[in-house]
Amino acid sequence: RKEVEQDPGPFNVPEGATVAFNCTYSNSASQSFFWYRQDCRKEPKLLMSVYSSGNEDGRFTAQLNRASQYISLLIRDSKLSDSATYLCVVNGRTGRRALTFGSGTRLQVQP
Amino acid sequence: DVKVTQSSRYLVKRTGEKVFLECVQDMDHENMFWYRQDPGLGLRLIYFSYDVKMKEKGDIPEGYSVSREKKERFSLILESASTNQTSMYLCASSHGEGGQYFGPGTRLTVL
């Protein structure tokens, strides 16, 4: 089983739609969780941290469910510029500060 | 803003050559990381460092070594490049257990 699993997609949604991604992780001792965004042929960029209480940043909402070991990302009112690959990230078995990246979920927002 | 820079965006080397990839960060982060990213395999951790002159193996250290002589600089060394080391190499830095910030990447081709 992979340490971090994501549906690769692609998710094709129209502008203005709400879309949600889930991610599951296998290490129950993980303490840090993040969502990253990666555009084609660019480096990953930190989108948001995920806290136990959940957090929101504008149109983006992240949730953590420790009991079920999954993390979600909700994007409301999708924009064309949201088209990217979204990476779920947890701190993994190689140490608390070293992160394990999921393979990503591709989102394509269409006009 | 955090800035992580990498010495080259594109690099072409021949099999057997020694290759140096350099990474510099300007935010006084104690943690630095080297990853490679390949289609279908996602980001894989090669080596990381929590402090000057300190290094830890990641998930795929074979064929690589690293050097961290100064806090802001973390070098990845391919002692004898092979074609299976053709990849995108990404450097990142972080503070504590926070999110990591990536450089723009070096696309290495080994012929």
Side-chain angles (χ1 to χ4, degrees):
Chain A
R1 183 185 172 188
K2 287 185 179 178
E3 288 188 60
V4 180
E5 296 210 54
Q6 295 182 252
D7 181 343
F11 284 56
N12 295 303
V13 302
E15 271 188 288
T18 295
V19 61
F21 309 133
N22 286 335
C23 152
T24 58
Y25 61 95
S26 61
N27 185 354
S28 59
S30 294
Q31 295 293 324
S32 304
F33 308 90
F34 308 91
W35 281 101
Y36 278 71
R37 169 198 170 121
Q38 187 171 25
D39 293 288
C40 189
R41 302 182 76 81
K42 297 285 186 106
E43 75 273 22
K45 292 191 175 174
L46 180 62
L47 183 64
M48 58 199 308
S49 302
V50 187
Y51 305 117
S52 296
S53 55
N55 53 310
E56 187 173 314
D57 183 1
R59 298 180 294 108
F60 298 82
T61 300
Q63 298 279 353
L64 168 64
N65 184 318
R66 285 189 186 273
S68 302
Q69 292 182 212
Y70 80 78
I71 307 155
S72 64
L73 177 68
L74 182 79
I75 305 175
R76 288 180 297 277
D77 188 23
S78 299
K79 312 289 185 193
L80 294 176
S81 57
D82 293 334
S83 297
T85 297
Y86 291 84
L87 307 174
C88 173
V89 184
V90 306
N91 70 319
R93 59 182 170 82
T94 41
R96 291 175 68 91
R97 300 184 210 188
L99 301 177
T100 299
F101 287 73
S103 297
T105 297
R106 189 166 159 230
L107 172 65
Q108 186 67 46
V109 181
Q110 294 164 339
Chain B
D1 276 354
V2 176
K3 190 157 185 190
V4 181
T5 56
Q6 295 184 227
S7 49
S8 306
R9 293 298 299 271
Y10 300 93
L11 208 51
V12 179
K13 295 291 181 182
R14 297 211 173 271
T15 301
E17 280 193 78
K18 191 168 186 175
V19 182
F20 293 88
L21 302 181
E22 300 231 305
C23 174
V24 178
Q25 50 93 6
D26 68 356
M27 283 303 292
D28 201 35
H29 285 169
E30 69 275 20
N31 308 317
M32 295 190 76
F33 307 83
W34 274 106
Y35 295 87
R36 63 179 283 178
Q37 187 172 30
D38 302 285
L41 297 176
L43 274 155
R44 293 180 291 167
L45 181 63
I46 304 172
Y47 267 98
F48 58 104
S49 170
Y50 293 158
D51 201 353
V52 175
K53 296 193 186 292
M54 173 274 172
K55 61 185 178 185
E56 292 280 347
K57 292 180 180 179
D59 296 320
I60 52 161
E62 297 78 20
Y64 303 95
S65 62
V66 289
S67 172
R68 192 160 181 206
E69 296 297 319
K70 292 186 177 181
K71 190 175 185 180
E72 68 271 17
R73 190 180 297 267
F74 192 34
S75 301
L76 180 69
I77 302 147
L78 287 67
E79 294 290 341
S80 178
S82 62
T83 54
N84 63 12
Q85 292 179 309
T86 291
S87 186
M88 169 69 90
Y89 289 88
L90 289 154
C91 174
S93 73
S94 71
H95 171 64
E97 293 178 22
Q100 294 175 15
Y101 295 87
F102 284 83
T106 295
R107 192 166 291 278
L108 172 66
T109 302
V110 182
L111 301 175

